[in-house]
Amino acid sequence: MLVTGASRGIGAATARMAAARGWDVVVNYANNSGAADAVVAECEAAGARATAVQADVGDEAQVLALFAAVAEFGPLACLVNNAGILHPQSPLAEFSVERLAEVTRVNVIGATLCVREAVRAMSTERGGSGGTIVNVSSAAAYLGSPNEYIDYAATKGALDTLTVGLAKEVARQGIRVNAVRPGLIETDIHASGGMPDRVERLAHLIPMGRGGRPDEVAETILFLASDASSYVTGALLDVSGGR
Ligand code: NAP
């Protein structure tokens, strides 16, 4: 299993849980090698083979190098397309073109490059053995994130559309493609958005009355990654406490 953005947050929780369930794991990260190495150590302690590979998913050459490293590690059976970014909260009228370019580069182009390489590796029409792809979208795709990050929400809408289209395109090539749409989950991403205590502040808006934990998202990702979901493809599964 390749998990992009696995040094922290939802990706790290997914890598750890996958390792505990018998997957060998490639832990991709952008900058934080110390955190990635710690996740690798935890995966190995769980009995899995694991390795950390640095790559910016928004850069094609780095994505190609990442998938070459994955191929050397072992045949790719699952891509968890998790790496994603957002910028500080702002009304749309204040967005700069640099901000729009960066969030699109990582969240849309990066995610698309990763699924492209995964399809090339897994497709039974290309000599692969099939596999699963789980895209990590967001509840933002249907909420729209007004006054916070409509740009980010729109990239997640794009990821949903990619999920639906690609699922149909590769359904007869042995590949299932699904997405999870997390709601408010306790990770570092809210500090990137300028509000580290965002989950606590907005918990009253969640029908279940609390934010989610990364391992609760990981559990759903691993369901979609595994044969337990063998007849599920093109699904957008909300993990949002009812929000
Ligand atoms: P996070 O705690 O901020 O962690 C982000 C991870 O992505 C880190 O491992 C980071 O690596 C990596 N990353 C960032 N840019 C990258 C790039 N260009 N190339 C490769 N890796 C990159 O985020 P998170 O909250 O776990 O979010 C993970 C995914 O869930 C994202 O797609 C996010 O949109 C989605 N999501 C999160 C929430 C939430 O409430 N937390 C809700 C809905 C959806 P470094 O450690 O090296 O920086």
Side-chain angles (χ1 to χ4, degrees), residues 96-130:
S96 68
V97 71
E98 290 79 14
R99 168 184 172 131
L100 292 174
E102 181 63 3
V103 74
T104 303
R105 187 184 72 83
V106 175
N107 294 5
V108 180
I109 298 177
T112 309
L113 288 172
C114 288
V115 294
R116 184 188 75 186
E117 293 311 306
V119 167
R120 287 176 175 174
M122 294 181 197
S123 170
T124 52
E125 286 181 4
R126 293 167 172 263
S129 306

Side-chain angles (χ1 to χ4, degrees), residues 7-8 10 30-32 56-57 82 137 152 156 183 185 187 190:
S7 44
R8 293 183 284 124
I10 292 168
N31 301 298
N32 198 335
D56 175 348
V57 297
N82 166 76
S137 175
Y152 166 83
K156 294 301 186 177
I185 310 299
T187 73
H190 307 291

Side-chain angles (χ1 to χ4, degrees), residues 132-153:
T132 51
I133 295 172
V134 184
N135 292 322
V136 181
S137 175
S138 173
Y142 56 83
L143 294 170
S145 306
N147 299 306
E148 291 193 310
Y149 13 72
I150 292 177
D151 52 349
Y152 166 83

